[in-house]
Amino acid sequence: MDVPALLRWYRANRRDLPWRREVSPWRTLVSELMCQQTRIDTVLPYFDRFMAEFPSPERMAAAPVERVLELWSGLGYYSRARNLHAAAVALSRLGGFPRDEQGLRSLPGVGPYTAGAVGAIALGLDLPVVDGNVERVFARYYTVERPTRAWIWTEAARHLPRGEAGDYDQALMELGALVCTPRSPRCLLCPLRAGCKGTGEAERFPAAKARKVVPRATAIAAVWRRGGAVLLARRPGTGLLGGLWELPGGEGSLDEVLASRLGLRVLRADAVATVSHTFTHLHLETTVFSVDCAGEPEARHYDEVRFVEESTIEGMALSNLARKTLAAAGLPVKASGRALARDTHAKELAARR
Ligand code: SF4
């Protein structure tokens, strides 16, 4: 593999990204966690906001995790935000970043990939990284249909140029993102073309993985308004969407859910919208009801429930699903995805109650 050509290509063509303009272990850690499973365009404004408020691990460690979740709101995969806060607390106690791979991997939420990225890019350690882009480049370069992770790590390490791991790792990832793309790879522009076995049939490698069938489920969410406020609930701190605010609800009928989770009796309910949302493990269809209830809400299932002024909801720690649901109910929140079939199936929805 012509690694010098790869490095030259990277240095001439790399994207101008904020965490590349100024490099530090903290900025690399934050950017790497944000970029996992997430498009760079989406990450950019979040990264700037995080650096403005948390320019160091100590600043984040001094803030409650709730504030980190608020700023993370809309970015998805919220365990990353909780892990980042936990890592900041650990770093603050340590008094700085560990200087070796083992120490980096002892930080919460830091696995081999993130340790490799922070170690190579920001600390000058000779560590490889493997992500989906790197996997694709090696699978094509050697025309391997079903490469194992262990094989890719071995190949990435075998070609690593000592003292230049940071650029090498980023070059492989950048090549996969910009040139050796999943569809229509641009082999004519590729610095690895001369030695690549996959040229001409690149899209065959790696072989497509069998699609997982994502199970489907239904749920309800309740909008109870009082004056200019609406009832919101904060989920328990651990588990799916832990610590985030949402409209109260869950799987089951409206009456059962509000009785068991909040101790409320439903007096009136009108179906106002349906919201579809796909997690990695589940496709959820939520029916949103506008309700009036008897009783005072109790946090039986949640960490906290309270009526929140509608104008302040946007700044809260909300999941993407909560954003879609709140927007579907007409509350002043930006939904981060296409969501809604409002009002159109009201009769059908009411029947599900
Ligand atoms: S020559 Fe084509 S298939 Fe080979 S690494 Fe480059 S872009 Fe990928």
Side-chain angles (χ1 to χ4, degrees):
M1 182 176 276
D2 191 347
V3 173
L6 175 68
L7 293 175
R8 280 195 303 279
W9 172 86
Y10 172 67
R11 286 163 187 157
N13 293 284
R14 64 183 155 199
R15 287 169 290 183
D16 178 28
L17 300 172
W19 48 89
R20 286 182 180 157
R21 274 175 231 144
E22 183 192 333
V23 177
S24 75
W26 177 239
R27 290 169 67 85
T28 305
L29 177 64
V30 174
S31 65
E32 289 297 337
L33 287 177
M34 284 185 171
C35 287
Q36 286 170 17
Q37 323 260 13
T38 310
R39 291 169 53 87
I40 284 183
D41 291 353
T42 308
V43 165
L44 290 173
Y46 284 88
F47 182 80
D48 288 343
R49 282 199 289 275
F50 265 66
M51 284 304 123
E53 184 149 343
F54 306 123
S56 66
E58 291 75 21
R59 289 283 289 276
M60 183 176 285
V65 67
E66 169 83 355
R67 181 59 189 148
V68 179
L69 288 167
E70 281 171 13
L71 283 188
W72 198 277
S73 178
L75 203 50
Y77 299 98
Y78 294 88
S79 58
R80 296 179 298 172
R82 288 191 293 275
N83 281 332
L84 182 59
H85 183 264
V89 170
L91 289 165
S92 181
R93 286 199 188 115
L94 288 170
F97 269 80
R99 296 280 146 177
D100 60 20
E101 184 185 9
Q102 202 185 356
L104 290 168
R105 286 189 60 176
S106 71
L107 297 171
V110 175
Y113 169 82
T114 309
V118 173
I121 296 168
L123 297 169
L125 301 175
D126 283 328
L127 295 173
V129 297
V130 171
D131 69 353
N133 286 322
V134 177
E135 173 180 347
R136 191 166 54 255
V137 170
F138 278 107
R140 289 175 175 174
Y141 191 86
Y142 291 110
T143 57
V144 178
E145 276 189 7
R146 289 184 178 76
T148 63
R149 278 266 147 163
W151 177 78
I152 304 160
W153 277 99
T154 304
E155 285 304 311
R158 188 164 72 84
H159 294 286
L160 188 146
R162 304 252 153 232
E164 296 186 283
D167 276 4
Y168 166 77
D169 290 347
Q170 293 181 90
L172 284 171
M173 292 190 281
E174 198 82 334
L175 190 76
L178 301 182
V179 176
C180 196
T181 46
R183 277 177 290 286
S184 307
R186 302 155 78 200
C187 297
L188 287 174
L189 303 176
C190 180
L192 301 181
R193 186 164 181 264
C196 180
K197 292 187 189 171
T199 314
E201 52 171 358
E203 289 186 51
R204 282 187 48 216
F205 304 97
K209 290 174 185 146
R211 279 194 171 219
K212 267 197 259 165
V213 178
V214 181
R216 306 178 80 84
T218 58
I220 63 90
V223 184
W224 186 11
R225 284 184 159 103
R226 268 190 192 166
V230 64
L231 183 66
L232 294 185
R234 185 156 58 82
R235 297 173 68 94
T238 54
L240 183 68
L241 309 178
L244 299 175
W245 288 90
E246 64 185 17
L247 286 169
E251 292 183 37
S253 77
L254 179 69
D255 301 75
E256 283 164 12
V257 169
L258 293 198
S260 64
R261 297 190 164 197
L262 300 159
L264 295 173
R265 186 162 57 83
V266 178
L267 300 175
R268 173 196 66 82
D270 299 310
V272 294
T274 53
V275 172
S276 296
H277 189 80
T278 302
F279 298 97
T280 46
H281 67 292
L282 183 72
H283 179 81
L284 191 65
E285 187 173 312
T286 301
T287 305
V288 185
F289 290 92
S290 170
V291 300
D292 282 325
C293 296
E296 278 304 309
E298 299 164 25
R300 293 183 182 175
H301 172 80
Y302 294 101
D303 275 4
E304 188 180 352
V305 290
R306 65 178 151 93
F307 283 90
V308 177
E309 287 298 318
E310 292 183 12
S311 59
T312 64
I313 298 172
E314 175 65 39
M316 298 175 73
L318 305 166
S319 66
N320 286 346
L321 172 58
R323 286 184 168 277
K324 284 183 185 178
T325 315
L326 288 158
L331 289 152
V333 168
K334 283 192 211 111
S336 44
R338 291 193 323 118
L340 330 167
R342 288 188 67 183
D343 300 328
T344 49
H345 307 300
K347 276 191 190 155
E348 177 198 339
L349 301 177
R352 293 185 199 168
R353 188 187 150 198

